Amino acid sequence: MSDRKPLLLLQYGRGLAALAVAAFHLSLLLGDPRYLGVPVFYDLTWRGNLGVDFFFVLSGFIIFYAHERDIGRPERLKSYFAKRFTRLYPVYWVYVSAMCILLALNFGSATSFPQAVTDWLSTLLLVRFDSFELPITPAWSLMHEVTFYALFGLLIMSRRIGWPLLALWMVTILIAGSYSEEGHRTAFSTYFSAFNLDFAIGIAAFYASKRCGSRLAVPAIVAGVLVLAGWYILETHGIVYRLHPLGYAACFGLIVAGLASFERERNLRPIAILKLLGDASYSIYLTHLAFLGVACKVAMVAMRFVPLPPAAVYVVVLAAAIIGGCLAHLLVEKPVLSFIRRKDSRREIYLPTGEIRSTHAG
């Protein structure tokens, strides 16, 4: 149970990461012959997919930031899983249900409609059985999140069991893990994907931030940004390694640790647009491909009457997708979560001391 304050700078980072992923996908989409046939701004956005690595690093950090005090306290397990379930599944189920209905009505051609029983189980539970790609394609990353949440649950049950299993998982990935592309993801390549090492980096960032405090905040941020730039330059020159993306994740770890340490002892005033992007990042991430596809089709029709340069099409379509994601957050995500939390707040539990506390506390 966490009474730690929300970290605005990390929330801003979450929003910018979702924006980077959307920008990357839009460049690829506009390169499709159905649209412009030119991958607009791809030279700038080709590494926007690293936003997913940032999400994973941030998840490793945030889960420990919010639930470190629950480790070794099995009585907190039910509350922990309830919070993770509420944050992940209900909103996802709304969006994936809408997507499946659209696919059943023959809207959308770039994603898969579940056919086999395992397809439906994967779609509903976010558990991978085979190489089936989910109707909401970016939701592949949620399978990694679910796995990490489950392993952290073992830490809550028992330190003696949880830490060795977490370490064994990471060592196995270091030895046998790799990065799988869309269409080639299997159960093994998901659960032992090198992407999962990002969670370990997030955990390390949490403990580094906790131990070092604010005195190393700025040096950590500067080092993270500089090494990130250097790592990017190496890749642009063809100098890459088997786990090259892990270098980017390590830089994100430095930046996350630095931002958290910087903010922890300060009260920052929220920047409205960045806070909205951060709050809406989950909805933006899950809906952006659908909104990009619709906006691209509308843009192609509009260009028959009003010629627009590719750069203008890119900006307008990206803005439409981000606005769509923010509206989904305000009109779907927030009401769904508020409804669930109102129900939870009515349930009270009696602690061993006799104190009564809402299950929504913390």
Side-chain angles (χ1 to χ4, degrees):
M1 186 176 295
S2 173
D3 55 3
R4 290 170 170 164
K5 70 173 185 176
L7 297 173
L8 282 173
L9 296 179
L10 297 189
Q11 191 73 341
Y12 298 164
R14 195 195 302 270
L16 294 175
L19 180 59
V21 173
F24 164 72
H25 283 145
L26 178 54
S27 291
L28 295 180
L29 193 61
L30 289 177
D32 191 305
R34 294 176 298 167
Y35 302 119
L36 296 181
V38 178
V40 183
F41 293 138
Y42 185 71
D43 288 346
L44 298 176
T45 66
W46 70 282
R47 260 330 202 163
N49 58 349
L50 287 170
V52 176
D53 290 271
F54 183 86
F55 287 141
F56 289 155
V57 171
L58 191 58
S59 288
F61 180 97
I62 290 296
I63 289 298
F64 273 73
Y65 179 75
H67 296 284
E68 182 203 18
R69 298 169 189 173
D70 296 338
I71 293 176
R73 297 180 59 192
E75 72 276 8
R76 298 298 310 142
L77 188 63
K78 182 178 179 181
S79 173
Y80 163 74
F81 277 127
K83 288 181 179 181
R84 293 302 99 207
F85 175 89
T86 298
R87 190 65 192 94
L88 197 69
Y89 282 101
V91 172
Y92 164 74
W93 282 339
V94 172
Y95 294 149
V96 81
S97 296
M99 179 60 73
C100 286
I101 291 170
L102 291 173
L103 290 172
L105 296 174
N106 292 319
F107 290 98
S109 58
T111 188
S112 305
F113 185 81
Q115 301 289 341
V117 172
T118 53
D119 296 349
W120 283 106
L121 289 174
S122 291
T123 298
L124 294 173
L125 303 179
L126 296 171
V127 175
R128 185 173 291 286
F129 298 96
D130 49 38
S131 59
F132 173 74
E133 293 295 341
L134 301 173
I136 296 179
T137 309
W140 67 267
S141 64
L142 301 185
M143 294 178 170
H144 297 264
E145 298 279 357
V146 168
T147 306
F148 175 60
Y149 294 164
L151 283 168
F152 186 84
L154 293 177
L155 268 176
I156 293 176
M157 289 178 60
S158 169
R159 293 174 184 268
R160 292 183 178 180
I161 295 175
W163 279 118
L165 285 179
L166 193 60
L168 178 62
W169 185 45
M170 294 301 172
V171 170
T172 304
I173 293 170
L174 276 172
I175 296 170
S178 61
Y179 295 96
S180 298
E181 298 295 329
E182 182 179 341
H184 300 282
R185 302 180 183 116
T186 64
F188 181 86
S189 70
T190 294
Y191 298 120
F192 294 94
S193 167
F195 278 116
N196 296 318
L197 295 172
D198 295 351
F199 297 119
I201 291 173
I203 295 168
F206 166 74
Y207 283 109
S209 173
K210 180 181 177 181
R211 178 175 294 271
C212 298
S214 61
R215 68 183 183 279
L216 294 180
V218 173
I221 296 169
V222 171
V225 171
L226 291 178
V227 177
L228 183 72
W231 207 247
Y232 177 84
I233 291 170
L234 286 177
E235 186 170 14
T236 59
H237 286 78
I239 303 173
V240 295
Y241 308 95
R242 182 174 72 90
L243 299 179
H244 193 83
L246 201 61
Y248 289 113
C251 296
F252 293 146
L254 282 171
I255 294 169
V256 165
L259 291 175
S261 297
F262 180 83
E263 183 176 354
R264 194 171 291 168
E265 298 178 9
R266 295 171 175 83
N267 290 316
L268 303 181
R269 296 182 62 183
I271 301 172
I273 185 64
L274 290 179
K275 187 176 185 304
L276 175 60
L277 278 178
D279 293 345
S281 59
Y282 189 47
S283 287
I284 292 171
Y285 182 72
L286 290 179
T287 65
H288 75 272
L289 281 182
F291 283 124
L292 288 175
V294 171
C296 279
K297 289 177 174 61
V298 172
M300 294 307 102
V301 173
M303 286 181 68
R304 298 174 188 172
F305 307 97
V306 183
L308 291 172
V313 173
Y314 184 96
V315 171
V316 170
V317 170
L318 182 61
I322 298 304
I323 292 171
C326 289
L327 289 174
H329 163 69
L330 295 172
L331 300 177
V332 178
E333 182 180 358
K334 282 188 71 175
V336 167
L337 293 179
S338 295
F339 173 76
I340 295 171
R341 286 166 180 164
R342 279 198 305 271
K343 288 188 66 176
D344 287 346
S345 68
R346 298 191 189 105
R347 301 192 196 120
E348 292 181 330
I349 58 173
Y350 286 84
L351 302 181
T353 58
E355 175 190 0
I356 299 176
R357 184 179 296 172
S358 166
T359 57
H360 181 51

